[in-house]
Amino acid sequence: MAPVMSISGLRLSYGATEVLSGIDLDVAEGEATFVIGPSGSGKSSLLRCCNRLEEPGAGHIQFEGQDILASGIDLNQIRRRIGMVFQSFNLYPHMTALGNVRLALRHVLKLPRDKADALAKTQLDRVGLSEHMSQYPAQLSGGQQQRVAIARALALEPRIMLFDEPTSALDPELVGEVLGVLSELKRDGMTMIVVSHEMRFAQNAADKVVFMSDGQIVEEGPPAQIFDAPQAQRTRDFVAQAAL
């Protein structure tokens, strides 16, 4: 079976600084791929290239039979199928949780109000927020706001979900509720790429772990390999510093 997403020869530079130096990565159907590594290693840049929030200078990203870096691609159509959740929640403060999730269904999928409401409620219930649908972002905790953001992305029924440090803006006591949602998505078979500094969660939840450093993939493999028997010295040093 062909990978859901296949990245080859991906390069990205900011001016004279190359931040991605020829990335090759396949993501299989239903696979939870966790990307770890030190700050500045290119993890978030890689993720942002996957839905063209960043424009690579070279390489290919195959998704559902298309090279999404090719000219003439319908980028809006691609982004409907590639959900993304950021560090910051990016919710509209003047809209309720329901309104934030409903918005894309109304404006992107052009659904009628009643159908959009029903789908939005289903996704909010999926992330455990059925009792908070009428509350505004300011009335929600950080963990609840991030769960609204996840529900918003899920509402478009993406083929793959990208998570860019989804817990980094949260107080420690709120991290668990967001990680719980990711665990549920994994059990549901959602294909995911997760950039995370939560090493223990990566060890327990990942199907594949990718270790990046200096814009390159140093090593990839199952969690047992990366965390217990890493092949590369840079991986060993990083895992030792992470102190699982």
Side-chain angles (χ1 to χ4, degrees), residues 34-73:
F34 278 66
V35 184
I36 65 172
S39 297
S41 58
K43 307 183 301 295
S44 292
S45 295
L46 170 60
L47 210 63
R48 292 170 66 85
C49 286
C50 290
N51 67 356
R52 284 185 55 180
L53 288 174
E54 299 281 3
E55 291 291 344
H60 302 277
I61 301 177
Q62 292 287 333
F63 173 68
E64 294 190 327
Q66 300 182 82
D67 185 349
I68 68 171
L69 302 182
S71 60
I73 283 290

Side-chain angles (χ1 to χ4, degrees), residues 102-133:
R102 178 177 59 213
L103 187 66
L105 293 167
R106 293 277 284 152
H107 289 271
V108 177
L109 298 187
K110 310 295 185 185
L111 295 181
R113 173 81 176 238
D114 58 343
K115 188 168 185 180
D117 275 358
L119 287 173
K121 289 175 181 178
T122 296
Q123 294 303 337
L124 284 166
D125 182 60
R126 186 178 183 183
V127 299
L129 290 176
S130 57
E131 296 180 1
H132 300 278
M133 294 183 188

Side-chain angles (χ1 to χ4, degrees), residues 121-182:
K121 289 175 181 178
T122 296
Q123 294 303 337
L124 284 166
D125 182 60
R126 186 178 183 183
V127 299
L129 290 176
S130 57
E131 296 180 1
H132 300 278
M133 294 183 188
S134 62
Q135 292 183 299
Y136 292 87
Q139 298 172 300
L140 300 172
S141 71
Q144 290 168 336
Q145 290 183 63
Q146 188 63 294
R147 284 188 281 156
V148 173
I150 293 171
R152 179 177 57 188
L154 290 172
L156 296 178
E157 299 185 342
R159 179 88 186 277
I160 187 171
M161 284 283 287
L162 312 177
F163 292 90
D164 187 9
E165 297 276 14
T167 62
S168 66
L170 301 179
D171 293 332
E173 66 270 20
L174 301 176
V175 168
E177 61 189 68
V178 173
L179 297 184
V181 172
L182 268 65

